[in-house]
Amino acid sequence: MAYWTTIIGLLALTQLGLAKYTKFPEGFTFGVATASHQIEGAWNVSGKSENVWDRLTHTRPWMIADGTNGDIACDSYNRYREDVEELVYLGVDFYRLSLSWARILPTGRIDYVNPDGIRYYNDLLNALAEQNIEPLVTLFHWDLPQALQDLGGWANPRMIDYFQDYADLCFREFGDRIKSWITFNEPYEICEDAYGDEKKAPAIDSHGVGNYLCSDTLLKAHAEVFHLYNETYRPVQNGNIMISINSIWYEPSDPADAEQVALAEIANQFKFGWFAHPIFSEEGGYPAIMIENVARQSAAEGLRIPRLQQFDDYWIDRIRGTSDILGINHYTTHLITGPGVDPIAKSPSWLKDIGAVTTMEVGGDSASEWLRIVPTGFANLLRWCKSSYNDPPIFITENGCSDRGELEDYNRIKYFNDYLTEILNVIYDDGVNVLGYTAWTLMDNFEWRAGFSERFGLYYVNITDPERPRTAKLSADYYKQLCATREIPQDDRFKDPALRVRTEL
Ligand code: GBH
């Protein structure tokens, strides 16, 4: 009995959060994020053209867990005023949204501007301005016009020009009201999941080849758009511009195993460093270990030219330093168990190029298999970013956890509590320069290949009702309190009743 009360008591103490720090520093900002294709719907109205997700969900619906798609999604194209009301309820400082390229430029190119695309985003931006909510705007969150995919998408170097034209138009039309831009959301997911695999549209699955063609193009396109903003728009619009890089953070399964430690560092270079090193490191270019490993594998495959090569000096220089802030999306940590070819790795592939075996057997559960709850991994990632990239200003552009449709989402609240606590720890103990935090996501939305089966929202959305009613989950009230007090809520009502009852024993 005494034993159990001690155990339960200890659990309760952690649950009650005897955290060292609870209060965020002056100037730290809070927001929530969404993405155009995940919420807007209106996939084929008022001039919008087909994007790669429309194409995938319509022609290969079996690839989506629950057979849903983005045709209507949360219907935010028609209901954006409701979105803004929810933002007001939460009391956020900013709203991270993305623009639908196919709604603005139906051919993908600048030859025809769709007036309704401009109108829609003007209405949304003005509605935000009326409520004093800062927009944080992503140019590309995965919904490429199909017309550009038909030309090869991000595997085609001409995309650098198309992306620049699109960005130029967006800066010109909307930039007077936007102080913060994001060029790309999660370059790794764009290149590896969509070109090197079939986890994201257009699901090209050119493993070990298309993924690297994509990264060459994407990093150059990012750099050109940074320079365009920096030279032409920043002097008048005074904003900042960054990229948001996602990390599955890798840790050794046995921290005392030196080989695993070294392999985890290599895996982090392949995952985060692939896009962060060219932009944020002092020397620039792809991480040396990537070039080395891919060259070795390519030679073994009998290739004349390695599947990934270093940028030339011009591009190393052109890409280096092209982000005002390091935008980080972070959800989870996976483990490295040893050297070799991961059993799930295709050949050739990015994963095989790493040369390590990974596992997801770590941390707590969410509704997503890949999302393991490991708050300390977040702190380690943030400290690693500080030391690897010369102490950059960091903005958390996404963080969150999935459920399967419940309103009393204690697991999500605990996730926020524990991940936010780690942010405070690294700010105060390690001097990591974290400027703001973005919860993914405002409301349950089209979770890509998981459809609506994995829900990340602070608001529940009933997708069987044509009105798409949204209901605040308990975490919405938790987040509202966080935004109001700038302090991690400690109230009992946010704690899992199962643990609450036991503390009274
Ligand atoms: C982010 O990606 C996205 O920016 C956002 O749009 C999304 O809704 C959110 O997170 C939640 O997922 O095919 O099972 O191996 C996060 C990074 C990386 C998570 C790829 C899912 C594939 C899972 N994503 N991962 S699986």
Side-chain angles (χ1 to χ4, degrees), residues 394-434:
I394 291 173
F395 207 94
I396 307 305
T397 41
E398 282 181 29
N399 177 240
C401 185
S402 53
D403 66 54
R404 295 214 175 264
E406 63 262 21
L407 292 175
E408 302 213 312
D409 52 343
Y410 294 109
N411 200 41
R412 170 175 296 103
I413 292 173
K414 174 101 169 83
Y415 180 99
F416 282 141
N417 177 76
D418 294 354
Y419 276 65
L420 286 164
T421 299
E422 293 300 343
I423 295 179
L424 290 179
N425 288 342
V426 301
I427 290 177
Y428 295 125
D429 290 344
D430 306 289
V432 181
N433 187 10
V434 188

Short mmCIF file of all heavy atoms in Angstrom, two decimals, residues 394-434:
data_model
loop_
_atom_site.label_atom_id
_atom_site.label_comp_id
_atom_site.label_asym_id
_atom_site.label_seq_id
_atom_site.Cartn_x
_atom_site.Cartn_y
_atom_site.Cartn_z
N ILE A 394 15.58 31.53 -32.59
CA ILE A 394 14.77 30.36 -32.96
C ILE A 394 13.29 30.68 -32.75
O ILE A 394 12.92 31.32 -31.76
CB ILE A 394 15.18 29.15 -32.08
CG1 ILE A 394 16.59 28.67 -32.47
CG2 ILE A 394 14.17 28.01 -32.20
CD1 ILE A 394 17.16 27.59 -31.56
N PHE A 395 12.49 30.25 -33.68
CA PHE A 395 11.04 30.39 -33.52
C PHE A 395 10.43 29.00 -33.69
O PHE A 395 10.70 28.33 -34.68
CB PHE A 395 10.49 31.35 -34.59
CG PHE A 395 9.23 32.04 -34.18
CD1 PHE A 395 9.27 33.30 -33.59
CD2 PHE A 395 8.00 31.41 -34.36
CE1 PHE A 395 8.09 33.94 -33.19
CE2 PHE A 395 6.83 32.05 -33.95
CZ PHE A 395 6.88 33.31 -33.38
N ILE A 396 9.64 28.58 -32.73
CA ILE A 396 8.96 27.28 -32.85
C ILE A 396 7.73 27.50 -33.72
O ILE A 396 6.76 28.13 -33.29
CB ILE A 396 8.56 26.70 -31.48
CG1 ILE A 396 9.77 26.64 -30.53
CG2 ILE A 396 7.94 25.30 -31.66
CD1 ILE A 396 10.98 25.91 -31.05
N THR A 397 7.78 27.00 -34.96
CA THR A 397 6.70 27.29 -35.91
C THR A 397 5.63 26.20 -35.92
O THR A 397 4.58 26.39 -36.54
CB THR A 397 7.29 27.51 -37.32
OG1 THR A 397 8.32 26.56 -37.56
CG2 THR A 397 7.88 28.91 -37.43
N GLU A 398 5.89 25.08 -35.26
CA GLU A 398 4.87 24.04 -35.02
C GLU A 398 5.31 23.15 -33.88
O GLU A 398 6.49 22.81 -33.77
CB GLU A 398 4.67 23.11 -36.24
CG GLU A 398 3.86 23.66 -37.37
CD GLU A 398 3.69 22.67 -38.52
OE1 GLU A 398 3.69 21.44 -38.29
OE2 GLU A 398 3.57 23.14 -39.66
N ASN A 399 4.31 22.76 -33.07
CA ASN A 399 4.50 21.73 -32.05
C ASN A 399 3.11 21.31 -31.62
O ASN A 399 2.23 22.14 -31.45
CB ASN A 399 5.29 22.30 -30.85
CG ASN A 399 5.48 21.30 -29.72
OD1 ASN A 399 5.04 21.53 -28.58
ND2 ASN A 399 6.11 20.20 -30.00
N GLY A 400 2.89 20.01 -31.48
CA GLY A 400 1.56 19.58 -31.08
C GLY A 400 1.45 18.07 -31.08
O GLY A 400 2.40 17.36 -31.39
N CYS A 401 0.24 17.60 -30.74
CA CYS A 401 0.02 16.19 -30.49
C CYS A 401 -1.35 15.78 -31.00
O CYS A 401 -2.28 16.60 -31.03
CB CYS A 401 0.14 15.97 -28.98
SG CYS A 401 0.02 14.27 -28.48
N SER A 402 -1.50 14.52 -31.40
CA SER A 402 -2.76 14.06 -32.03
C SER A 402 -3.65 13.28 -31.07
O SER A 402 -3.18 12.63 -30.14
CB SER A 402 -2.42 13.19 -33.23
OG SER A 402 -1.54 12.15 -32.85
N ASP A 403 -4.97 13.38 -31.33
CA ASP A 403 -5.95 12.55 -30.61
C ASP A 403 -6.86 11.88 -31.63
O ASP A 403 -6.71 12.09 -32.83
CB ASP A 403 -6.76 13.40 -29.61
CG ASP A 403 -7.66 14.43 -30.28
OD1 ASP A 403 -8.47 14.06 -31.16
OD2 ASP A 403 -7.57 15.64 -29.94
N ARG A 404 -7.80 11.07 -31.15
CA ARG A 404 -8.71 10.41 -32.07
C ARG A 404 -10.13 10.95 -31.98
O ARG A 404 -11.10 10.30 -32.33
CB ARG A 404 -8.70 8.90 -31.85
CG ARG A 404 -7.35 8.30 -32.19
CD ARG A 404 -7.45 6.90 -32.79
NE ARG A 404 -6.14 6.40 -33.20
CZ ARG A 404 -5.67 6.50 -34.45
NH1 ARG A 404 -6.40 7.05 -35.41
NH2 ARG A 404 -4.48 6.03 -34.74
N GLY A 405 -10.27 12.17 -31.46
CA GLY A 405 -11.57 12.81 -31.49
C GLY A 405 -12.17 13.17 -30.15
O GLY A 405 -13.34 13.50 -30.06
N GLU A 406 -11.37 13.11 -29.08
CA GLU A 406 -11.95 13.43 -27.78
C GLU A 406 -11.89 14.93 -27.48
O GLU A 406 -11.03 15.65 -28.00
CB GLU A 406 -11.28 12.63 -26.65
CG GLU A 406 -9.81 12.90 -26.42
CD GLU A 406 -8.90 11.89 -27.09
OE1 GLU A 406 -9.35 11.22 -28.06
OE2 GLU A 406 -7.73 11.78 -26.67
N LEU A 407 -12.83 15.38 -26.61
CA LEU A 407 -12.86 16.80 -26.24
C LEU A 407 -12.07 17.06 -24.97
O LEU A 407 -11.54 18.14 -24.76
CB LEU A 407 -14.31 17.25 -26.03
CG LEU A 407 -15.18 17.29 -27.30
CD1 LEU A 407 -16.62 17.64 -26.95
CD2 LEU A 407 -14.62 18.29 -28.31
N GLU A 408 -12.01 16.05 -24.09
CA GLU A 408 -11.22 16.20 -22.86
C GLU A 408 -9.84 15.63 -23.14
O GLU A 408 -9.51 14.51 -22.77
CB GLU A 408 -11.91 15.47 -21.72
CG GLU A 408 -13.32 15.99 -21.50
CD GLU A 408 -13.75 15.95 -20.07
OE1 GLU A 408 -13.56 14.90 -19.42
OE2 GLU A 408 -14.26 16.99 -19.59
N ASP A 409 -9.03 16.44 -23.79
CA ASP A 409 -7.78 15.96 -24.37
C ASP A 409 -6.60 16.15 -23.42
O ASP A 409 -5.66 16.90 -23.70
CB ASP A 409 -7.55 16.66 -25.72
CG ASP A 409 -7.66 18.18 -25.63
OD1 ASP A 409 -8.23 18.68 -24.64
OD2 ASP A 409 -7.19 18.86 -26.55
N TYR A 410 -6.66 15.41 -22.31
CA TYR A 410 -5.61 15.54 -21.29
C TYR A 410 -4.22 15.16 -21.81
O TYR A 410 -3.22 15.73 -21.39
CB TYR A 410 -5.95 14.68 -20.07
CG TYR A 410 -7.18 15.17 -19.35
CD1 TYR A 410 -8.37 14.44 -19.40
CD2 TYR A 410 -7.16 16.38 -18.64
CE1 TYR A 410 -9.50 14.90 -18.75
CE2 TYR A 410 -8.29 16.84 -17.99
CZ TYR A 410 -9.47 16.10 -18.05
OH TYR A 410 -10.58 16.56 -17.42
N ASN A 411 -4.20 14.21 -22.73
CA ASN A 411 -2.89 13.80 -23.25
C ASN A 411 -2.21 14.96 -23.99
O ASN A 411 -1.01 15.17 -23.89
CB ASN A 411 -3.06 12.58 -24.17
CG ASN A 411 -1.77 11.81 -24.36
OD1 ASN A 411 -1.01 11.59 -23.42
ND2 ASN A 411 -1.49 11.41 -25.60
N ARG A 412 -3.02 15.71 -24.77
CA ARG A 412 -2.46 16.86 -25.49
C ARG A 412 -2.00 17.94 -24.51
O ARG A 412 -0.94 18.54 -24.66
CB ARG A 412 -3.49 17.44 -26.46
CG ARG A 412 -3.07 18.79 -27.06
CD ARG A 412 -4.03 19.31 -28.13
NE ARG A 412 -4.06 18.43 -29.28
CZ ARG A 412 -5.02 17.57 -29.56
NH1 ARG A 412 -6.08 17.49 -28.77
NH2 ARG A 412 -4.96 16.80 -30.61
N ILE A 413 -2.82 18.18 -23.48
CA ILE A 413 -2.46 19.22 -22.50
C ILE A 413 -1.14 18.85 -21.82
O ILE A 413 -0.25 19.69 -21.66
CB ILE A 413 -3.60 19.39 -21.46
CG1 ILE A 413 -4.82 20.00 -22.16
CG2 ILE A 413 -3.14 20.23 -20.28
CD1 ILE A 413 -6.06 20.07 -21.30
N LYS A 414 -1.02 17.58 -21.46
CA LYS A 414 0.22 17.12 -20.84
C LYS A 414 1.40 17.29 -21.81
O LYS A 414 2.50 17.70 -21.41
CB LYS A 414 0.04 15.64 -20.46
CG LYS A 414 1.26 14.95 -19.93
CD LYS A 414 1.22 14.84 -18.43
CE LYS A 414 2.30 13.92 -17.88
NZ LYS A 414 3.60 14.58 -17.74
N TYR A 415 1.14 16.98 -23.08
CA TYR A 415 2.18 17.16 -24.10
C TYR A 415 2.62 18.62 -24.14
O TYR A 415 3.81 18.92 -24.06
CB TYR A 415 1.63 16.72 -25.47
CG TYR A 415 2.60 16.86 -26.62
CD1 TYR A 415 3.32 15.77 -27.10
CD2 TYR A 415 2.79 18.09 -27.26
CE1 TYR A 415 4.20 15.89 -28.17
CE2 TYR A 415 3.66 18.23 -28.33
CZ TYR A 415 4.38 17.13 -28.77
OH TYR A 415 5.24 17.28 -29.83
N PHE A 416 1.64 19.54 -24.24
CA PHE A 416 1.98 20.97 -24.26
C PHE A 416 2.74 21.35 -22.99
O PHE A 416 3.78 22.02 -23.04
CB PHE A 416 0.72 21.83 -24.37
CG PHE A 416 0.14 21.91 -25.76
CD1 PHE A 416 -1.24 21.90 -25.96
CD2 PHE A 416 0.96 22.01 -26.89
CE1 PHE A 416 -1.78 21.98 -27.25
CE2 PHE A 416 0.43 22.09 -28.17
CZ PHE A 416 -0.95 22.07 -28.34
N ASN A 417 2.21 20.93 -21.85
CA ASN A 417 2.85 21.26 -20.57
C ASN A 417 4.32 20.84 -20.56
O ASN A 417 5.21 21.62 -20.21
CB ASN A 417 2.10 20.57 -19.43
CG ASN A 417 2.77 20.81 -18.08
OD1 ASN A 417 2.64 21.89 -17.50
ND2 ASN A 417 3.53 19.83 -17.61
N ASP A 418 4.56 19.60 -20.98
CA ASP A 418 5.92 19.06 -20.87
C ASP A 418 6.86 19.65 -21.92
O ASP A 418 8.03 19.91 -21.65
CB ASP A 418 5.88 17.53 -20.97
CG ASP A 418 5.15 16.90 -19.78
OD1 ASP A 418 4.79 17.66 -18.85
OD2 ASP A 418 4.93 15.69 -19.77
N TYR A 419 6.36 19.86 -23.14
CA TYR A 419 7.20 20.44 -24.19
C TYR A 419 7.47 21.93 -23.92
O TYR A 419 8.58 22.41 -24.13
CB TYR A 419 6.59 20.20 -25.58
CG TYR A 419 6.94 18.83 -26.17
CD1 TYR A 419 6.48 17.66 -25.57
CD2 TYR A 419 7.73 18.71 -27.30
CE1 TYR A 419 6.80 16.40 -26.09
CE2 TYR A 419 8.05 17.46 -27.84
CZ TYR A 419 7.59 16.31 -27.23
OH TYR A 419 7.92 15.07 -27.76
N LEU A 420 6.45 22.64 -23.45
CA LEU A 420 6.65 24.06 -23.12
C LEU A 420 7.64 24.20 -21.96
O LEU A 420 8.46 25.13 -21.93
CB LEU A 420 5.31 24.72 -22.75
CG LEU A 420 4.36 24.99 -23.92
CD1 LEU A 420 2.95 25.28 -23.41
CD2 LEU A 420 4.85 26.17 -24.79
N THR A 421 7.55 23.28 -21.01
CA THR A 421 8.47 23.31 -19.87
C THR A 421 9.92 23.16 -20.36
O THR A 421 10.83 23.84 -19.88
CB THR A 421 8.12 22.20 -18.86
OG1 THR A 421 6.80 22.45 -18.39
CG2 THR A 421 9.08 22.18 -17.69
N GLU A 422 10.13 22.28 -21.34
CA GLU A 422 11.48 22.10 -21.87
C GLU A 422 11.97 23.37 -22.57
O GLU A 422 13.16 23.69 -22.54
CB GLU A 422 11.56 20.90 -22.82
CG GLU A 422 11.34 19.55 -22.14
CD GLU A 422 12.37 19.21 -21.05
OE1 GLU A 422 13.43 19.85 -20.99
OE2 GLU A 422 12.07 18.31 -20.24
N ILE A 423 11.05 24.09 -23.21
CA ILE A 423 11.46 25.36 -23.83
C ILE A 423 11.96 26.32 -22.75
O ILE A 423 13.01 26.95 -22.88
CB ILE A 423 10.30 26.01 -24.62
CG1 ILE A 423 9.91 25.12 -25.82
CG2 ILE A 423 10.68 27.41 -25.10
CD1 ILE A 423 8.76 25.67 -26.64
N LEU A 424 11.21 26.40 -21.65
CA LEU A 424 11.64 27.29 -20.56
C LEU A 424 12.98 26.85 -20.00
O LEU A 424 13.86 27.68 -19.73
CB LEU A 424 10.58 27.32 -19.46
CG LEU A 424 9.28 28.05 -19.82
CD1 LEU A 424 8.29 27.98 -18.65
CD2 LEU A 424 9.56 29.50 -20.19
N ASN A 425 13.15 25.54 -19.84
CA ASN A 425 14.43 25.05 -19.32
C ASN A 425 15.60 25.49 -20.20
O ASN A 425 16.62 25.95 -19.69
CB ASN A 425 14.43 23.51 -19.24
CG ASN A 425 13.53 23.01 -18.11
OD1 ASN A 425 13.18 23.75 -17.20
ND2 ASN A 425 13.16 21.74 -18.18
N VAL A 426 15.46 25.36 -21.51
CA VAL A 426 16.61 25.72 -22.36
C VAL A 426 16.78 27.23 -22.47
O VAL A 426 17.90 27.72 -22.65
CB VAL A 426 16.57 25.07 -23.77
CG1 VAL A 426 16.53 23.55 -23.66
CG2 VAL A 426 15.44 25.60 -24.63
N ILE A 427 15.69 27.97 -22.36
CA ILE A 427 15.82 29.43 -22.38
C ILE A 427 16.61 29.89 -21.14
O ILE A 427 17.60 30.61 -21.23
CB ILE A 427 14.44 30.13 -22.41
CG1 ILE A 427 13.74 29.92 -23.77
CG2 ILE A 427 14.59 31.63 -22.11
CD1 ILE A 427 12.35 30.52 -23.85
N TYR A 428 16.16 29.42 -19.96
CA TYR A 428 16.75 29.94 -18.72
C TYR A 428 18.06 29.25 -18.32
O TYR A 428 18.95 29.88 -17.78
CB TYR A 428 15.74 29.86 -17.58
CG TYR A 428 14.54 30.76 -17.79
CD1 TYR A 428 13.25 30.23 -17.76
CD2 TYR A 428 14.69 32.12 -18.02
CE1 TYR A 428 12.13 31.06 -17.96
CE2 TYR A 428 13.59 32.95 -18.23
CZ TYR A 428 12.31 32.42 -18.20
OH TYR A 428 11.23 33.22 -18.40
N ASP A 429 18.16 27.94 -18.60
CA ASP A 429 19.36 27.23 -18.16
C ASP A 429 20.48 27.25 -19.20
O ASP A 429 21.66 27.19 -18.85
CB ASP A 429 19.04 25.76 -17.84
CG ASP A 429 18.20 25.64 -16.57
OD1 ASP A 429 18.13 26.63 -15.81
OD2 ASP A 429 17.61 24.56 -16.35
N ASP A 430 20.11 27.27 -20.47
CA ASP A 430 21.14 27.14 -21.52
C ASP A 430 21.24 28.37 -22.40
O ASP A 430 22.04 28.39 -23.34
CB ASP A 430 20.83 25.92 -22.40
CG ASP A 430 20.67 24.65 -21.57
OD1 ASP A 430 21.69 24.17 -21.05
OD2 ASP A 430 19.52 24.18 -21.40
N GLY A 431 20.40 29.36 -22.15
CA GLY A 431 20.47 30.57 -22.95
C GLY A 431 20.11 30.38 -24.41
O GLY A 431 20.58 31.12 -25.28
N VAL A 432 19.28 29.38 -24.71
CA VAL A 432 18.84 29.21 -26.10
C VAL A 432 17.84 30.34 -26.40
O VAL A 432 16.95 30.63 -25.61
CB VAL A 432 18.19 27.83 -26.33
CG1 VAL A 432 17.76 27.67 -27.78
CG2 VAL A 432 19.16 26.71 -25.95
N ASN A 433 18.04 30.96 -27.55
CA ASN A 433 17.27 32.16 -27.89
C ASN A 433 15.96 31.80 -28.61
O ASN A 433 15.87 31.92 -29.82
CB ASN A 433 18.15 33.07 -28.75
CG ASN A 433 17.54 34.42 -29.01
OD1 ASN A 433 16.51 34.79 -28.41
ND2 ASN A 433 18.13 35.18 -29.92
N VAL A 434 14.96 31.36 -27.83
CA VAL A 434 13.66 30.99 -28.43
C VAL A 434 12.72 32.19 -28.29
O VAL A 434 12.50 32.70 -27.20
CB VAL A 434 13.05 29.75 -27.75
CG1 VAL A 434 11.81 29.29 -28.51
CG2 VAL A 434 14.07 28.62 -27.66
#
